[in-house]
Coordinates of all heavy atoms in Angstrom, one line a residue:
Q1 N 26.2 38.4 110.4 CA 26.3 38.2 109.0 C 25.1 37.5 108.4 O 24.7 37.9 107.3 CB 27.6 37.5 108.7 CG 28.9 38.3 109.1 CD 30.2 37.5 108.8 OE1 30.7 37.5 107.7 NE2 30.6 36.8 109.9
L2 N 24.7 36.4 109.0 CA 23.5 35.7 108.6 C 22.3 36.7 108.4 O 21.6 36.6 107.4 CB 23.1 34.6 109.5 CG 23.9 33.3 109.5 CD1 23.7 32.5 110.7 CD2 23.6 32.5 108.2
N3 N 22.0 37.5 109.4 CA 20.9 38.3 109.4 C 21.0 39.5 108.5 O 20.0 40.2 108.3 CB 20.5 38.7 110.8 CG 20.0 37.6 111.7 OD1 19.6 36.6 111.1 ND2 20.1 37.7 113.0
N4 N 22.2 39.8 108.1 CA 22.4 41.0 107.2 C 22.8 40.6 105.8 O 23.1 41.5 105.0 CB 23.4 41.9 107.8 CG 22.9 42.7 109.0 OD1 22.3 43.7 108.9 ND2 23.3 42.2 110.2
N5 N 22.7 39.3 105.5 CA 23.1 38.8 104.2 C 24.4 39.4 103.7 O 24.6 39.8 102.5 CB 22.0 39.1 103.2 CG 20.7 38.5 103.5 OD1 20.6 37.4 104.0 ND2 19.6 39.2 103.3
C6 N 25.4 39.4 104.6 CA 26.7 40.0 104.3 C 27.8 39.2 105.0 O 27.8 39.0 106.2 CB 26.7 41.5 104.8 SG 28.3 42.3 104.7
I7 N 28.7 38.8 104.2 CA 29.9 38.1 104.7 C 31.1 39.1 104.6 O 31.5 39.5 103.5 CB 30.3 36.8 103.8 CG1 29.2 35.8 103.9 CG2 31.6 36.2 104.3 CD1 29.3 34.6 103.0
H8 N 31.5 39.6 105.7 CA 32.5 40.7 105.7 C 33.9 40.2 105.3 O 34.2 39.0 105.4 CB 32.6 41.4 107.0 CG 33.1 40.5 108.2 ND1 34.3 40.1 108.3 CD2 32.4 40.1 109.3 CE1 34.4 39.4 109.5 NE2 33.3 39.4 110.1
K9 N 34.7 41.1 104.9 CA 36.1 40.7 104.4 C 37.0 40.4 105.6 O 36.8 40.8 106.7 CB 36.6 41.8 103.5 CG 37.0 43.1 104.3 CD 37.6 44.1 103.3 CE 39.0 43.7 102.9 NZ 39.7 44.8 102.1
T10 N 38.1 39.7 105.3 CA 39.2 39.5 106.2 C 40.2 40.6 105.9 O 40.7 40.7 104.8 CB 39.9 38.1 105.9 OG1 38.9 37.1 106.2 CG2 41.1 37.9 106.8
V11 N 40.3 41.5 106.9 CA 41.0 42.7 106.7 C 42.6 42.5 106.8 O 43.0 41.7 107.6 CB 40.6 43.8 107.7 CG1 41.3 45.1 107.6 CG2 39.1 44.0 107.5
G12 N 43.3 43.3 106.0 CA 44.8 43.3 106.2 C 45.5 42.4 105.3 O 46.7 42.4 105.2
Y13 N 44.8 41.5 104.6 CA 45.4 40.5 103.8 C 46.0 41.1 102.5 O 45.3 41.9 101.8 CB 44.4 39.4 103.4 CG 44.8 38.3 102.6 CD1 45.2 37.1 103.2 CD2 44.9 38.4 101.2 CE1 45.6 36.0 102.4 CE2 45.4 37.3 100.4 CZ 45.7 36.1 101.0 OH 46.1 35.0 100.3
Q14 N 47.3 40.8 102.2 CA 47.9 41.3 101.0 C 48.7 40.3 100.2 O 48.7 40.3 99.0 CB 48.9 42.5 101.4 CG 48.2 43.7 101.9 CD 49.2 44.8 102.3 OE1 50.4 44.7 102.0 NE2 48.8 45.9 102.9
V15 N 49.4 39.4 100.9 CA 50.3 38.5 100.3 C 49.8 37.0 100.3 O 49.7 36.4 101.4 CB 51.7 38.5 100.9 CG1 52.7 37.6 100.2 CG2 52.2 40.0 101.0
P16 N 49.4 36.5 99.2 CA 48.9 35.1 99.2 C 49.9 34.1 99.6 O 51.1 34.2 99.4 CB 48.5 34.9 97.7 CG 48.4 36.3 97.1 CD 49.4 37.1 97.8
D17 N 49.4 33.1 100.3 CA 50.2 31.9 100.7 C 49.8 30.7 99.9 O 48.6 30.3 100.0 CB 50.0 31.7 102.2 CG 50.9 30.6 102.8 OD1 51.3 29.7 102.0 OD2 51.1 30.6 104.0
E18 N 50.7 30.1 99.2 CA 50.4 29.0 98.3 C 49.8 27.8 99.1 O 49.1 27.0 98.6 CB 51.6 28.5 97.5 CG 52.8 28.1 98.3 CD 53.7 29.3 98.7 OE1 53.3 30.5 98.5 OE2 54.8 29.0 99.2
E19 N 50.1 27.7 100.4 CA 49.5 26.6 101.2 C 48.2 27.0 101.8 O 47.4 26.1 102.2 CB 50.5 26.3 102.3 CG 51.8 25.6 101.8 CD 52.6 25.0 103.0 OE1 53.2 25.9 103.7 OE2 52.6 23.8 103.2
C20 N 47.8 28.2 101.9 CA 46.5 28.7 102.3 C 45.8 29.3 101.1 O 45.9 30.5 100.8 CB 46.7 29.7 103.5 SG 47.4 29.1 105.0
D21 N 45.2 28.4 100.4 CA 44.7 28.8 99.0 C 43.2 28.7 98.9 O 42.7 28.5 97.8 CB 45.4 27.8 98.0 CG 45.2 26.4 98.3 OD1 44.5 26.0 99.3 OD2 45.5 25.5 97.4
L22 N 42.5 29.0 99.9 CA 41.0 29.0 99.9 C 40.5 30.5 99.7 O 41.3 31.4 99.7 CB 40.4 28.3 101.1 CG 40.8 26.8 101.2 CD1 40.2 26.3 102.5 CD2 40.3 26.0 100.0
N23 N 39.2 30.6 99.7 CA 38.7 32.0 99.5 C 38.4 32.6 100.9 O 37.4 32.3 101.5 CB 37.4 31.9 98.7 CG 36.7 33.3 98.5 OD1 37.3 34.3 99.0 ND2 35.6 33.4 97.8
Y24 N 39.4 33.5 101.3 CA 39.3 34.1 102.6 C 38.6 35.4 102.6 O 38.7 36.2 103.6 CB 40.7 34.2 103.3 CG 41.4 32.8 103.3 CD1 42.5 32.6 102.5 CD2 41.0 31.8 104.1 CE1 43.2 31.4 102.5 CE2 41.6 30.6 104.2 CZ 42.7 30.4 103.3 OH 43.4 29.1 103.3
V25 N 37.9 35.7 101.6 CA 37.1 37.0 101.4 C 38.0 38.2 101.7 O 37.9 38.9 102.7 CB 35.9 37.0 102.3 CG1 35.0 38.2 101.9 CG2 35.1 35.7 102.3
T26 N 39.0 38.4 100.9 CA 40.1 39.4 101.1 C 39.9 40.7 100.3 O 40.6 41.6 100.6 CB 41.5 38.8 100.8 OG1 41.5 38.3 99.4 CG2 41.8 37.6 101.7
D27 N 39.0 40.7 99.4 CA 38.9 41.9 98.5 C 37.8 42.9 99.1 O 38.1 44.1 99.2 CB 38.6 41.5 97.1 CG 39.8 40.9 96.4 OD1 40.9 41.1 96.8 OD2 39.5 40.0 95.6
S28 N 36.6 42.3 99.3 CA 35.5 43.2 99.7 C 34.4 42.3 100.4 O 34.5 41.1 100.2 CB 34.9 44.0 98.6 OG 34.4 43.1 97.6
N29 N 33.5 42.9 101.0 CA 32.4 42.2 101.6 C 31.6 41.4 100.5 O 31.5 41.9 99.3 CB 31.4 43.1 102.4 CG 32.1 43.7 103.5 OD1 33.2 43.4 104.0 ND2 31.4 44.7 104.1
I30 N 31.0 40.3 100.8 CA 30.2 39.6 99.9 C 28.7 39.7 100.3 O 28.3 39.3 101.4 CB 30.6 38.0 99.9 CG1 32.0 37.8 99.6 CG2 29.7 37.3 98.9 CD1 32.5 38.3 98.2
E31 N 27.9 40.3 99.4 CA 26.5 40.4 99.7 C 25.8 39.2 99.2 O 25.7 39.0 97.9 CB 25.9 41.7 99.0 CG 26.6 43.0 99.5 CD 26.4 43.3 100.9 OE1 25.3 42.9 101.5 OE2 27.3 44.0 101.5

């Protein structure tokens, strides 16, 4: 990820948890 300037998504995530409320990169990869 460091060498490709890409943070890949966390796959399969659908239902938010109010206690796990950080940015888990759930929509798409971050360039």
Side-chain angles (χ1 to χ4, degrees):
Q1 291 179 90
L2 281 166
N3 289 340
N4 287 280
N5 299 322
C6 174
I7 299 173
H8 65 69
K9 69 179 288 188
T10 299
V11 178
Y13 182 97
Q14 292 181 9
V15 184
D17 183 335
E18 58 274 10
E19 292 190 284
C20 295
D21 55 354
L22 299 177
N23 181 0
Y24 305 109
V25 192
T26 57
D27 293 328
S28 61
N29 296 349
I30 304 295
E31 302 294 332

